[in-house]
Amino acid sequence: MSDGASKTMNDRMSRRKMLTAMGMAGAGAAMAAMGVPANTAEAAPKNIGTGMKEDFGIVNPVALFGAKGNGIDDDTAAIQQALDTGKAVYLPRGAYRVTNTLFFKGSGSRLLGEGTYSLLALPMIPKGSVIISEVPSGQPTVKVPDGLQHVDISKLTIKRLVSSVSGNTGLYFEGNSNLCSVRDVEISGHYVGLWLGSTGYSTVENLFSHDNYAHGVYMVNSGINGALQWQFNNVLSQLNNAWGICVQSAVNSVGFVTMGNMFRLNTFGNRSGGICFLGRADTPINGIRIDNSFFGEDGGDEIYLDTYGGGSHKIQSTYTEAAGTGLTGVGQATPPSGAGHGLKVTANVYSVTVSDCFFINHSYNGVDCSAEQSVITGCDLRINGCAGAAGTQVGINIVSGQSLITGNKSMGQQFGVFLNNDGYHMVAQNRLSQNTVAPVAAAVAIPNSIIAPNITAG
């Protein structure tokens, strides 16, 4: 194996170990929740400091409404009474068992904890604030109703330890909201971890959604509002039984969906794939912007675009690896699929630009693109097509449309670049060496395309 390939594999292993370790933290949290003792000084709610009262306008902690935070008593009524005040609600360190959905009642409300739940030492007691969900089948644990603004949920864990079915969402933003935030939150064991509706501007930051039985994060616009402008920063969605992150246009909605910036996304070991964008002919998804992200060892395509036209999409400074090669799903219980591209772009996409990205060791092609117009520049594509399926051992596979392919390294596959049509392509100034069949090839005559100069030796 070459030095470059060895480094690639070492990097891959270090990323895998990092993400798996984060998953073990979630498993440890579940053990802690199940073993919370009824009476421990650290688990008991504490009074809030005067400084925080002044900063946030908090009228409680929930202990004033009778919450115990011991993981055994039912704290649903106490927390709901605190939320009914419409002001900030503070959950001191502890485990809060809830048996019905908690509803926010007014704009400007806050639900603040003391940090996510983790097992730091024996005895097994919570070192943060955790909501242990036992809400009935088909109901969310925490719900932000349609129309509320300026809602803030931060520094807590929402964990479900009983079976989950459709509707058992961990944190559910219904309909339309604006200027809301989800910060420093962990969600696990639900059907969908985090469900987000329409927003003109809201933020998700430092989210860990894992071991859920459908998507880790699901976003869908309302029927009257196409804005899905949630700003993402530092999100990890792993070991879920569907997509790590799924964005979808609403059925029968009008207009189009517009996206916010998506920065530092991370997915790992999700059964269906890393992240998908599923538009509709009557509601295309516009303006996808993914930057500085990682998608690895998911069970299908790491990035999947099926947006139905719309404006140009841009993916940059992003690393993808090993689609379909590892165990996936809740508890890593699903065997490797042996399928999946690094980036899959369907013919329902108008334009995509991909720059400074890595596509390494995928079961299928590194990039498989059918967009009307595509620009792929400055990317590194290596050892793709490892499942050995016919037609899927290509660094960059252009299925249809026009393409500009420059400044890339595509090495270690059967083909560095493969063109399936004569759509006025330019393939120039790439390093396309060490491919076993050909550096560049085409399924048809390509008199309208420019295929030179490229480095094909060494």
Side-chain angles (χ1 to χ4, degrees):
M1 182 179 291
S2 68
D3 292 343
S6 297
K7 185 176 186 302
T8 295
M9 295 303 293
N10 289 336
D11 290 346
R12 174 187 165 201
M13 290 301 296
S14 63
R15 287 174 179 271
R16 182 188 303 173
K17 289 177 181 178
M18 179 272 289
L19 291 170
T20 303
M22 295 184 76
M24 291 301 294
M31 291 173 58
M34 290 185 287
V36 173
N39 297 295
T40 63
E42 290 195 77
K46 300 176 182 178
N47 290 328
I48 190 167
T50 302
M52 186 173 277
K53 283 184 181 178
E54 293 173 352
D55 290 342
F56 295 102
I58 293 174
V59 297
N60 38 50
V62 290
L64 297 181
F65 296 86
K68 303 298 183 183
N70 58 23
I72 296 176
D73 289 294
D74 188 342
D75 288 326
T76 309
I79 298 174
Q80 189 59 60
Q81 288 176 28
L83 288 171
D84 288 347
T85 66
K87 297 184 179 180
V89 174
Y90 171 60
L91 293 178
R93 180 183 300 177
Y96 298 85
R97 179 170 164 260
V98 300
T99 56
N100 279 301
T101 300
L102 299 173
F103 292 88
F104 282 83
K105 291 298 182 71
S107 295
S109 298
R110 294 178 175 181
L111 182 60
L112 312 173
E114 275 193 28
T116 53
Y117 193 72
S118 63
L119 177 64
L120 300 182
L122 294 175
M124 290 189 292
I125 57 176
K127 298 293 184 179
S129 304
V130 57
I131 295 173
I132 300 175
S133 175
E134 297 178 12
V135 301
S137 294
Q139 298 182 22
T141 298
V142 180
K143 181 176 180 178
V144 180
D146 182 21
L148 296 192
Q149 318 295 324
H150 294 275
V151 173
D152 177 21
I153 299 101
S154 62
K155 295 185 178 179
L156 55 84
T157 290
I158 305 171
K159 183 176 296 293
R160 187 172 174 86
L161 299 175
V162 296
S163 61
S164 296
V165 298
S166 180
N168 284 135
T169 300
L171 176 54
Y172 176 39
F173 280 80
E174 177 191 44
N176 302 277
S177 57
N178 289 299
L179 298 171
C180 296
S181 64
V182 178
R183 297 177 292 113
D184 304 308
V185 171
E186 178 184 351
I187 306 174
S188 66
H190 293 77
Y191 192 74
V192 171
L194 173 63
W195 181 304
L196 300 172
S198 294
T199 187
Y201 182 89
S202 293
T203 59
V204 176
E205 186 171 13
N206 300 335
L207 171 75
F208 182 24
S209 184
H210 63 96
D211 291 279
N212 299 292
Y213 291 88
H215 309 301
V217 179
Y218 180 70
M219 302 173 63
V220 61
N221 63 293
S222 71
I224 60 172
N225 186 355
L228 273 180
Q229 294 170 18
W230 290 88
Q231 313 297 315
F232 279 75
N233 182 27
N234 197 27
V235 170
L236 171 59
S237 184
Q238 72 173 33
L239 301 180
N240 301 291
N241 275 359
W243 290 90
I245 303 170
C246 179
V247 182
Q248 191 164 18
S249 295
V251 175
N252 297 324
S253 61
V254 295
F256 51 85
V257 169
T258 57
M259 301 297 302
N261 293 313
M262 308 185 88
F263 185 66
R264 292 183 186 168
L265 304 182
N266 300 272
T267 70
F268 170 75
N270 299 288
R271 183 187 291 177
S272 296
I275 185 169
C276 68
F277 297 85
L278 309 176
R280 292 171 47 84
D282 59 354
T283 316
I285 298 175
N286 287 352
I288 295 167
R289 303 179 299 281
I290 298 175
D291 190 3
N292 198 23
S293 296
F294 171 84
F295 305 94
E297 284 194 51
D298 296 295
D301 299 323
E302 294 299 344
I303 306 172
Y304 180 80
L305 304 184
D306 187 37
T307 60
Y308 281 83
S312 180
H313 309 308
K314 185 168 187 179
I315 302 166
Q316 64 182 13
S317 302
T318 289
Y319 192 107
T320 73
E321 67 174 13
T325 66
L327 298 171
T328 62
V330 174
Q332 288 186 294
T334 303
S337 67
H341 305 86
L343 169 63
K344 173 70 174 179
V345 184
T346 75
N348 295 321
V349 174
Y350 172 67
S351 175
V352 61
T353 298
V354 185
S355 61
D356 191 27
C357 292
F358 286 77
F359 301 95
I360 309 293
N361 199 42
H362 296 295
S363 293
Y364 291 168
N365 302 324
V367 174
D368 193 88
C369 186
S370 302
E372 288 188 38
Q373 298 181 10
S374 57
V375 176
I376 303 171
T377 181
C379 295
D380 197 330
L381 308 98
R382 304 191 189 202
I383 329 173
N384 294 293
C386 62
T392 64
Q393 300 176 65
V394 185
I396 301 172
N397 186 48
I398 301 298
V399 181
S400 60
Q402 301 178 0
S403 69
L404 172 63
I405 301 171
T406 62
N408 303 286
K409 291 188 291 184
S410 185
M411 306 165 66
Q413 297 101 188
Q414 285 188 333
F415 302 95
V417 177
F418 195 92
L419 306 173
N420 290 275
N421 72 333
D422 187 27
Y424 296 91
H425 308 289
M426 175 176 282
V427 182
Q429 298 183 334
N430 302 284
R431 185 178 184 90
L432 306 176
S433 58
Q434 302 178 27
N435 295 292
T436 60
V437 177
V440 184
V444 297
I446 49 174
N448 296 312
S449 297
I450 299 172
I451 313 297
N454 295 286
I455 298 173
T456 60

